[in-house]
Amino acid sequence: MMAPSPSFFTRRRLLWAALAAQVLFILAVAGAGYATTAFGRVVVLRTTPVDPRDLLFGDYVRLNYTISQVPARLWHGPQPPQAGQPVYVLLQPLRGAYEAAGVYSTEPAADAHQVVLRGWVTDSWAHGIRLRFGLERYYVPEKTGLSLEKSATRQPLLVRVSVAPWGQARIMQVAPAQN
């Protein structure tokens, strides 16, 4: 009987290393979501819903936050913002929800009552900046997207978002504003 060659053991180690890397990646993705909820600070954002249906994934509400389009005067960066550029939005409480106080190219320092949310520039022009945060889709139980959208025509929606210290965010709850 012949002993296995050294290349057999090398391939076997590579196979195990590839398998371990995949498992670690899946655990890291799941852990990041849980860490955002566990270590994050909960803030409330104002929004209005748009488009309540996705053929592949079911009912969802696309959320258009008040902080998704900000005046250009809030920009604090060495050069004008570019599409696709990562940014940090400094949020502070105003009239029952958090609003943008500044948009920065590098992470700013925040006071105790402020929160920093990481986002990306989608468009900019002379008078404004359009941003996205990865919080624009909220999936809802089947056949409830239209009712949520209709309730928002009478009053705006408030979204509870957990923002982690590193700027990642996760939607916790979407509900009509209480008058």
Side-chain angles (χ1 to χ4, degrees):
M1 186 161 160
M2 200 168 169
S5 69
S7 65
F8 171 78
F9 291 114
T10 304
R11 279 186 266 156
R12 190 174 222 178
R13 283 186 185 145
L14 286 174
L15 178 65
W16 280 107
L19 182 63
Q22 291 175 10
V23 169
L24 287 174
F25 176 76
I26 290 170
L27 290 174
V29 169
Y34 287 115
T36 300
T37 303
F39 299 114
R41 183 168 166 193
V42 176
V43 300
V44 176
L45 303 172
R46 286 186 184 85
T47 186
T48 55
V50 186
D51 296 339
R53 185 93 178 125
D54 183 327
L55 293 175
L56 296 177
F57 297 106
D59 277 358
Y60 76 94
V61 179
R62 196 167 97 209
L63 302 172
N64 181 27
Y65 298 94
T66 57
I67 62 169
S68 293
Q69 189 168 316
V70 297
R73 65 180 160 73
L74 294 182
W75 174 249
H76 301 279
Q79 293 144 357
Q82 301 294 315
Q85 176 181 357
V87 294
Y88 297 89
V89 180
L90 185 65
L91 303 174
Q92 63 185 25
L94 180 68
R95 298 185 312 270
Y98 279 72
E99 296 294 336
V103 180
Y104 298 82
S105 58
T106 58
E107 189 169 2
D111 294 341
H113 67 282
Q114 297 174 322
V115 174
V116 178
L117 178 61
R118 189 181 67 209
W120 295 268
V121 175
T122 58
D123 193 16
S124 67
W125 59 97
H127 300 291
I129 306 167
R130 186 169 291 123
L131 306 166
R132 73 177 167 83
F133 302 98
L135 301 170
E136 287 75 22
R137 279 190 177 200
Y138 181 67
Y139 288 91
V140 295
E142 204 59 40
K143 302 201 187 315
T144 61
L146 283 174
S147 64
L148 191 58
E149 183 179 313
K150 286 180 184 176
S151 72
T153 59
R154 294 185 298 275
Q155 57 192 352
L157 295 177
L158 294 179
V159 180
R160 286 178 39 133
V161 175
S162 179
V163 181
W166 52 90
Q168 185 177 354
R170 181 178 217 174
I171 295 175
M172 311 263 313
Q173 178 187 28
V174 176
Q178 302 297 322
N179 290 338

